[in-house]
Amino acid sequence: MQDKDKFYEFGIKSGSIEGKLKIQNSNNRVVAKIGDVLLDKLNYYRWNNAVKFLDKYNDKKNKRSTHGKETPLPPKFLFEILDNAFMEEDDDMQELWANLLSGWQYAEKRSDIGMVFIEILKNLSKNEIIILSTINNSIDTNEVRSNKNMFINGKMVKEHLHLSEEEYELAMLNLFRLYCCEGFHHETPGMFVGGIPIHSNGGIEKFRVTALGYKLLDMIFENV
């Protein structure tokens, strides 16, 4: 089948109303319709990016055997994911968007759906994704995640990934800005001032992934 003949369909739901979003190409542009209504919102995205992403998405459904079993998504979430995924040319980044979309279409994932995860993902650069991926794939990630007295050594991460001081600092500051990471605070305060506990802050060299950050990792690094 030629790319020009490809056709994709998504279930959408708004309140008690359900429908189908149909996506296909027309003159090398993405055309999306709900029923007979043409949505100009998606028309200007490059078709080859759309094909790459939608093929990844379909591969995940095939592995999960979930064709026809997907949970319809509210249009605002579906459109936001497709908007960002169709603009993305990097295969690895598209893979993360495909994970997010396919994961949200499971019934048990519905409570996790939130625009905040879309906003975080679209604001992450390649270096930040690599840092998060390294943490996610670490052999002791579960121990660090459950033990609040453990931290991630920024120097080791930087050296392992061969990041410069500037690359590491910029990446970590953005992860802090997006509340995916935070400076390590030991549960036992280092000192007291006037009876008020003072906790030292490990900054970007000794840090932990936040609950929000770990939730994002669960969504974009799914094993499918």
Side-chain angles (χ1 to χ4, degrees):
M1 178 183 292
Q2 299 294 319
D3 283 351
K4 66 180 182 179
D5 298 322
K6 289 198 172 183
F7 172 86
Y8 302 90
E9 189 174 83
F10 294 89
I12 60 173
K13 183 175 183 179
S14 180
S16 60
I17 301 174
E18 293 190 22
K20 293 288 185 180
L21 172 66
K22 299 178 181 180
I23 298 177
Q24 63 188 96
N25 70 318
S26 176
N27 298 321
N28 292 321
R29 291 181 180 273
V30 179
V31 175
K33 292 183 178 180
I34 297 180
D36 294 326
V37 180
L38 182 67
L39 301 179
D40 292 334
K41 184 178 181 63
L42 299 178
N43 283 354
Y44 59 90
Y45 293 119
R46 293 175 58 186
W47 175 243
N48 61 328
N49 282 351
V51 168
K52 286 196 303 180
F53 169 76
L54 293 168
D55 282 349
K56 288 182 175 67
Y57 167 76
N58 276 342
D59 285 343
K60 294 179 186 302
K61 290 204 297 183
N62 288 333
K63 291 177 182 177
R64 288 172 163 168
S65 300
T66 58
H67 280 284
K69 304 175 184 177
E70 302 87 0
T71 301
L73 291 179
K76 67 176 182 178
F77 294 112
L78 181 58
F79 291 158
E80 281 291 328
I81 291 177
L82 296 180
D83 280 357
N84 287 282
F86 290 179
M87 287 290 286
E88 183 58 63
E89 296 185 358
D90 184 88
D91 285 342
D92 293 335
M93 294 298 292
Q94 278 201 338
E95 191 78 20
L96 303 184
W97 286 109
N99 284 341
L100 186 63
L101 176 57
S102 61
W104 277 1
Q105 291 190 308
Y106 280 111
E108 62 266 27
K109 289 281 187 178
R110 277 182 288 187
S111 62
D112 293 333
I113 295 176
M115 196 63 70
V116 62
F117 299 108
I118 295 175
E119 289 299 316
I120 292 174
L121 183 53
K122 74 180 185 181
N123 280 283
L124 292 179
S125 72
K126 197 67 180 287
N127 281 341
E128 289 132 38
I129 291 295
I130 292 173
I131 291 172
L132 291 177
S133 178
T134 299
I135 294 170
N136 188 63
N137 294 327
S138 172
I139 58 174
D140 58 353
T141 185
N142 290 331
E143 185 177 4
V144 175
R145 183 170 182 165
S146 60
N147 188 344
K148 292 188 178 299
N149 288 320
M150 295 184 68
F151 61 85
I152 299 164
N153 189 315
K155 182 179 180 181
M156 293 182 64
V157 172
K158 178 173 54 183
E159 292 177 351
H160 176 71
L161 298 177
H162 304 291
L163 297 175
S164 68
E165 289 285 347
E166 182 181 32
E167 287 173 329
Y168 176 76
E169 182 175 353
L170 290 175
M172 290 308 305
L173 289 176
N174 194 39
L175 288 172
F176 275 51
R177 179 182 72 88
L178 296 171
Y179 298 101
C180 289
C181 295
E182 62 184 0
F184 172 69
H185 294 79
H186 198 285
E187 288 192 342
T188 302
M191 59 181 296
F192 290 83
V193 175
I196 300 175
I198 304 299
H199 294 266
S200 59
N201 189 322
I204 64 174
E205 298 300 334
K206 294 181 180 180
F207 67 93
R208 287 185 53 81
V209 177
T210 64
L212 180 64
Y214 277 122
K215 178 62 70 174
L216 178 71
L217 291 178
D218 290 341
M219 292 180 177
I220 65 176
F221 291 118
E222 270 190 316
N223 295 317
V224 296

